[in-house]
Amino acid sequence: MAQWNGTMTLVLGGYVDLEKFRYLYFSLWVLFYFLIVSSNCVIIYVVKIHPSLHEPMYVFIAALSLNSILFSTTVYPKLMVDVLSRRQVASYSGCLFQVFIFYSFATADLVLLSTMAYDRYVSICRPLQYATVMGKTRVCVYLALAWFLPASFIAVVIILQSRQKLCSFVLEGIFCNTTLAKVHSKNPTYLVVLLSFFGIVIVVFLPMVFILCTYVRIFRVAFRSRGEVRAKAVETCLPHVMVLILFTVFIILDLMVAVVEIKLSKILRLILSLQILVYNPLLNPIIYGLKMKEIWKRIKRLGPLSNK
């Protein structure tokens, strides 16, 4: 492994013409990070200051926005430092830590979406039990589990992966994600392979199946009911479905960049990496801000839009 200032490091080799476009990269990172933080903070602020939005559905939306901020903070500040540095490197231990934080928050997104789907199911299909099933204590438990369970599992995977032999010193990306797997031995241990497969099933596949089945059930009940229930289902569930589609795009892009053995040009790999970092954290608050009527009404009152 390469040595830099006495520390074992990996080279981040995903940039294209960095010397030529250094300040363009830096400007993009600052712009994206500012838009992500500001837009998500607006959602959190609006939910916090309006008591009428202190309902489980809006609390989960605010939690999703907070998660997007934390997710982006694991990457963007390091990107800003990298493009202004003489060498784009990351310590191996720091890279492992970034992978842990990055995927802990990424999978927490999916757990939160699962909880939101369940919340909508109870609200629309079992309205008389909603106050009991989605009480304040249970909501707090759901939120805690959404961050604790993914982080616990990802930590085990990272610990096992860190014990693998290294066979390369250059990452193909601009930050540490699943590209880190390619610097390890091409023959991972049986336990790592088994745990990785188990993780994909438990953390990704099962929640997505649960969400899809839940929304199918919701829409079946809604379209058999009167117009008011149908309108409520469409208004509150459609944004969640759109966000789930974005998360699916995130998974596909991440697999294309790092896991699937396909030949990608360096610039195409960079573009895919940028979409991973931008899609969910930036578009989530836009979708909820525009599509959730109660949130949008209050956003319009915050500034110049209030006079329109």
Side-chain angles (χ1 to χ4, degrees):
M1 185 175 289
Q3 295 283 336
W4 179 248
N5 290 336
T7 303
M8 292 188 297
T9 61
L10 298 173
V11 177
L12 303 172
Y15 284 100
V16 177
D17 294 329
L18 181 58
E19 291 299 325
K20 183 178 180 180
F21 299 114
R22 183 184 303 275
Y23 295 105
L24 174 61
Y25 284 131
F26 180 78
S27 300
L28 287 175
W29 304 157
V30 172
L31 175 63
F32 290 151
Y33 189 52
F34 171 77
L35 291 176
I36 289 168
V37 172
S38 58
S39 59
N40 282 285
C41 280
V42 167
I43 298 295
I44 296 171
Y45 177 73
V46 166
V47 172
K48 182 178 185 300
I49 66 172
H50 292 284
S52 62
L53 298 182
H54 293 178
E55 299 177 7
M57 176 176 65
Y58 300 110
V59 172
F60 291 136
I61 290 174
L64 200 65
S65 288
L66 175 60
N67 198 68
S68 293
I69 294 174
L70 297 174
F71 170 85
S72 300
T73 302
T74 67
V75 179
Y76 280 101
K78 178 67 165 59
L79 291 178
M80 296 176 200
V81 173
D82 284 342
V83 295
L84 297 180
S85 301
R86 186 164 62 90
R87 296 188 63 186
Q88 290 68 54
V89 297
S91 68
Y92 180 57
S93 58
C95 209
L96 287 171
F97 182 71
Q98 186 178 59
V99 171
F100 163 67
I101 298 296
F102 182 82
Y103 286 105
S104 292
F105 289 128
T107 50
D109 245 19
L110 192 54
V111 178
L112 286 170
L113 289 173
S114 301
T115 307
M116 293 163 74
Y118 179 66
D119 170 76
R120 291 299 82 207
Y121 168 77
V122 177
S123 175
I124 294 170
C125 302
R126 299 165 57 190
L128 298 180
Q129 301 175 9
Y130 185 77
T132 302
V133 175
M134 300 302 295
K136 184 176 180 180
T137 301
R138 290 198 179 188
V139 169
C140 291
V141 171
Y142 294 149
L143 290 175
L145 292 177
W147 279 297
F148 176 75
L149 291 180
S152 300
F153 183 82
I154 298 296
V156 174
V157 174
I158 294 300
I159 291 172
L160 291 175
Q161 191 177 53
S162 67
R163 297 176 180 176
Q164 299 297 298
K165 293 182 179 179
L166 296 163
C167 61
S168 177
F169 315 127
V170 179
L171 288 179
E172 297 177 346
I174 58 176
F175 66 100
C176 300
N177 60 346
T178 48
T179 54
L180 186 63
K182 291 189 175 183
V183 307
H184 291 111
S185 171
K186 298 299 181 180
N187 299 306
T189 65
Y190 175 77
L191 182 58
V192 171
V193 173
L194 182 62
L195 192 59
S196 298
F197 175 78
F198 181 74
I200 292 174
V201 172
I202 296 298
V203 179
V204 177
F205 181 73
L206 289 182
M208 293 189 73
V209 170
F210 172 78
I211 293 171
L212 291 174
C213 291
T214 301
Y215 282 127
V216 168
R217 173 64 176 164
I218 289 172
F219 286 118
R220 285 180 60 187
V221 171
F223 283 98
R224 291 175 182 173
S225 305
R226 61 185 185 275
E228 182 181 344
V229 175
R230 188 180 309 170
K232 178 183 178 182
V234 172
E235 179 188 344
T236 61
C237 294
L238 183 60
H240 302 332
V241 174
M242 295 170 67
V243 170
L244 177 62
I245 293 172
L246 284 177
F247 190 87
T248 303
V249 172
F250 164 84
I251 295 173
I252 293 172
L253 291 175
D254 199 47
L255 291 174
M256 287 181 65
V257 169
V259 177
V260 179
E261 292 295 337
I262 56 177
K263 296 295 183 181
L264 297 174
S265 66
K266 197 171 184 180
I267 189 168
L268 181 56
R269 190 179 294 277
L270 176 61
I271 292 172
L272 292 176
S273 297
L274 293 181
Q275 294 181 77
I276 291 172
L277 296 176
V278 173
Y279 266 147
N280 273 52
L282 184 56
L283 294 183
N284 283 4
I286 294 175
I287 290 173
Y288 286 122
L290 295 178
K291 294 295 183 180
M292 300 295 287
K293 183 172 63 177
E294 293 302 316
I295 292 179
W296 176 236
K297 285 194 305 184
R298 288 159 178 79
I299 289 177
K300 290 194 294 184
R301 297 172 185 169
L302 293 178
L305 291 172
S306 60
N307 296 323
K308 297 184 179 181

